[in-house]
Amino acid sequence: MTRIGLSTVSVYPESTAHAFAYAAGVGYDAVEVMVGVDGLSQQVEAVRQLSVHHEIPISAIHAPCLLFTQRVWGTEPWGKLYRSADMAHAVGAGTVVVHPPFRWQKEYAAGFVAGIERLEKETGLFFAVENMYPWKASSRRGVEMYLPGRDPSDESYANATIDLSHAAIAGDDIVEMAKRLGPRLRHIHLTDGTGSAKDEHLVPGRGSTGADRFLQHLAGSGFDGEIVVEINTRKAATKADREADLRESLEFARQHFEAEASS
């Protein structure tokens, strides 16, 4: 059964601990832990205890492969993924979310597709490679910053993640990407975007990606992976405002996925 989870990054600048409290209070089914600069997110036992305390499972671990987490858990990229797998096993998560390598990580990128396949065989986990986007240069032309590419449907990964905000920047049709991936689509970062150069991570329904249509497509196609709300609430003036955005996102997911799946 598909669960609707909450990414811990959705409550930034509040902490990982706050994310678990919000998820439990609002009624999410699970939590995805973004391993980041919040020291608590890097501590396996602390994360496990949060899950136990709030009685909410952890669906996925997001490996520290963002630009601002380049030094979290060291600088060796494969080492980061193995540590992410260790955390996933320890906390009962079945998926590790990972971004494709940056272009300057040439050695890592050269063996990335085969390396991800090897990791899945060794660990028994899903390593769901996420879609990314071109970076906008001063010339207004997009610069491809990821190798072997930003679209996981172009590669032979067994498992992939679609992030709607990333797709908005790239101008990708999320339903068509989902069709190309078919059963390899394992994980969703439910959010939204308007197609600007910024990675907006809007509340789903507030952008132009057709998030409602996408969820309905997933439900109709028998998607049985994880749907995780990953939004930006940094501008929320109060905790109540942040909670309202988290609640709206959950209700959107249930309206357009769960209702369609049960019809």
Side-chain angles (χ1 to χ4, degrees), residues 231-245:
I231 61 172
N232 183 343
T233 63
R234 296 174 196 175
K235 294 183 179 179
T238 65
K239 288 179 178 290
D241 291 337
R242 175 167 289 120
E243 183 174 315
D245 283 350

Side-chain angles (χ1 to χ4, degrees), residues 86 92 94 114 259:
D86 289 343

Side-chain angles (χ1 to χ4, degrees), residues 149-169:
R150 60 177 175 81
D151 184 346
S153 70
D154 290 339
E155 306 299 332
S156 60
Y157 307 119
N159 298 284
T161 298
I162 288 182
D163 181 301
L164 277 68
S165 180
H166 296 174
I169 300 172

Side-chain angles (χ1 to χ4, degrees), residues 8-254:
T8 56
V9 77
S10 297
V11 309
Y12 182 84
E14 292 191 80
S15 70
T16 300
H18 288 105
F20 275 86
Y22 278 114
V26 173
Y28 280 85
D29 301 321
V31 168
E32 176 181 312
V33 176
M34 169 72 80
V35 179
V37 293
D38 173 10
L40 192 151
S41 71
Q42 304 170 30
Q43 300 174 36
V44 174
E45 184 57 23
V47 167
R48 192 185 71 80
Q49 287 295 333
L50 283 169
S51 175
V52 170
H53 175 73
H54 291 285
E55 298 182 331
I56 189 166
I58 298 171
S59 59
I61 301 299
H62 195 309
C65 48
L66 283 69
L67 193 61
F68 66 87
T69 61
Q70 287 288 286
R71 296 188 177 276
V72 173
W73 283 354
T75 57
E76 204 287 304
W78 290 114
K80 291 171 178 279
L81 299 192
Y82 276 104
R83 287 192 66 172
S84 298
D86 289 343
M87 175 180 273
H89 280 304
V91 302
T95 300
V96 173
V97 178
V98 59
H99 291 185
F102 293 109
R103 340 177 23 172
W104 56 82
Q105 296 175 302
K106 293 183 179 179
E107 183 177 350
Y108 176 44
F112 186 70
V113 177
I116 290 296
E117 181 180 1
R118 182 182 67 249
L119 268 173
E120 291 193 318
K121 290 178 179 178
E122 290 178 3
T123 65
L125 298 169
F126 301 123
F127 276 77
V129 181
E130 189 168 350
N131 64 307
M132 299 305 292
Y133 49 86
W135 290 10
K136 300 298 183 181
S138 57
S139 64
R140 297 185 180 181
R141 295 181 60 187
V143 178
E144 296 294 341
M145 295 301 295
Y146 299 94
L147 292 174
R150 60 177 175 81
D151 184 346
S153 70
D154 290 339
E155 306 299 332
S156 60
Y157 307 119
N159 298 284
T161 298
I162 288 182
D163 181 301
L164 277 68
S165 180
H166 296 174
I169 300 172
D172 291 328
D173 184 314
I174 47 181
V175 171
E176 290 304 313
M177 185 182 291
K179 289 178 180 177
R180 291 195 300 273
L181 286 167
R184 297 189 294 140
L185 180 56
R186 173 58 48 187
H187 202 75
I188 305 298
H189 280 165
L190 180 59
T191 181
D192 217 331
T194 63
S196 77
K198 294 182 179 179
D199 192 9
E200 297 167 293
H201 282 272
L202 303 175
V203 169
R206 296 184 187 176
S208 58
T209 63
D212 52 353
R213 179 176 61 97
F214 177 65
L215 289 174
Q216 291 159 13
H217 167 77
L218 293 181
S221 65
F223 176 78
D224 62 354
E226 303 279 354
I227 296 174
V228 173
V229 168
E230 188 182 86
I231 61 172
N232 183 343
T233 63
R234 296 174 196 175
K235 294 183 179 179
T238 65
K239 288 179 178 290
D241 291 337
R242 175 167 289 120
E243 183 174 315
D245 283 350
L246 300 178
R247 191 176 303 279
E248 180 181 333
S249 299
L250 177 59
E251 291 173 352
F252 184 95
R254 288 181 171 162

